[in-house]
Amino acid sequence: MSDQVRNLAFHTLSDEWATLKRVTFDYRRRDGTWETQVRQTYDRGDGAVILPYDPERGTVLLTRQFRIPAYVTGHPEPLIEAAAGLLDADDPETAIRREAEEELGYRFSAVTPVFKVYMSPGSVTEQLSFFTAHYTAADKVGAGGGHAEEGEDIEVLEMPLDRALALVAEGVIVDAKTIMLIQHLKLAEVA
């Protein structure tokens, strides 16, 4: 691994919907001294996210859904987000195609990888693969909305890219992955 870390030890604190572990390790600082640190990692698997864009009409497809972590921290309204999901046993492209069909009701002929990032590397192990796709009305294959048996109750939204960007500025869209993709599309549109 790295010559900066030694004596790595894990202790599982919770293993329900995701795995929460306490990690104890020795870390070599830049000045060469060693110190013991204790952190926690939250692992629920890697994921993928997509923001479909219709360049002819200048619109994007988004979702709106209730999120309990946002609710308990003072954001009672459902969040507007790009469609996303866990990879499970799939590669990122296969997973995002599945999620787009389940959540949005669209099947895309091509998806474009954008980047792969850690969203909260201080505690969350998840790497998120970002995608965009061009879409038209012909790509619609179902109603979307997610799977009720998985607790999903997803509303599909279509809006102009400029409106989505305005909702970011207004503090209505507060989901980081969604903001990143909206800004990416806007920058790509003007480039």
Side-chain angles (χ1 to χ4, degrees), residues 4 27-35 37:
Q4 288 185 276
Y27 174 75
R28 187 168 50 89
R29 299 175 59 85
R30 288 178 297 157
D31 67 7
T33 61
W34 287 90
E35 69 181 12
Q37 295 187 2

Side-chain angles (χ1 to χ4, degrees), residues 1-162:
M1 291 193 103
S2 166
D3 62 352
Q4 288 185 276
V5 176
R6 66 182 185 197
N7 300 327
L8 194 61
F10 297 92
H11 176 74
T12 301
L13 301 173
S14 176
D15 193 9
E16 293 180 21
W17 189 65
T19 304
L20 178 65
K21 292 181 180 179
R22 182 179 63 233
V23 184
T24 305
F25 59 98
D26 295 331
Y27 174 75
R28 187 168 50 89
R29 299 175 59 85
R30 288 178 297 157
D31 67 7
T33 61
W34 287 90
E35 69 181 12
T36 299
Q37 295 187 2
V38 179
R39 299 288 186 267
Q40 291 181 357
T41 61
Y42 185 74
D43 182 1
R44 61 186 204 106
D46 291 340
V49 58
I50 192 164
L51 185 58
Y53 177 61
D54 181 339
E56 295 294 316
R57 297 182 305 131
T59 57
V60 292
L61 294 173
L62 294 163
T63 66
R64 182 177 4 231
Q65 61 185 314
F66 175 78
R67 296 295 197 179
I68 192 66
Y71 180 83
V72 299
T73 57
H75 194 282
E77 300 85 19
L79 296 185
I80 298 174
E81 303 177 44
L86 295 176
L87 301 185
D88 298 323
D90 292 325
D91 62 272
E93 183 174 331
T94 301
I96 203 54
R97 287 177 177 280
R98 177 190 69 237
E99 291 297 328
E101 194 166 330
E102 290 174 6
E103 293 188 7
L104 298 170
Y106 282 75
R107 186 177 301 141
F108 307 114
S109 59
V111 297
T112 303
V114 179
F115 33 72
K116 185 175 183 177
V117 301
Y118 289 100
M119 293 301 293
S120 188
S123 58
V124 179
T125 62
E126 178 185 39
Q127 283 188 308
L128 196 55
S129 297
F130 285 66
F131 293 88
T132 60
H134 285 177
Y135 78 95
T136 67
D139 297 317
K140 188 166 179 65
V141 295
H147 290 302
E149 66 274 8
E150 293 177 8
E152 295 178 328
D153 180 25
I154 299 169
E155 179 185 359
V156 179
L157 305 174
E158 183 176 48
M159 68 179 67
L161 175 59
D162 287 338

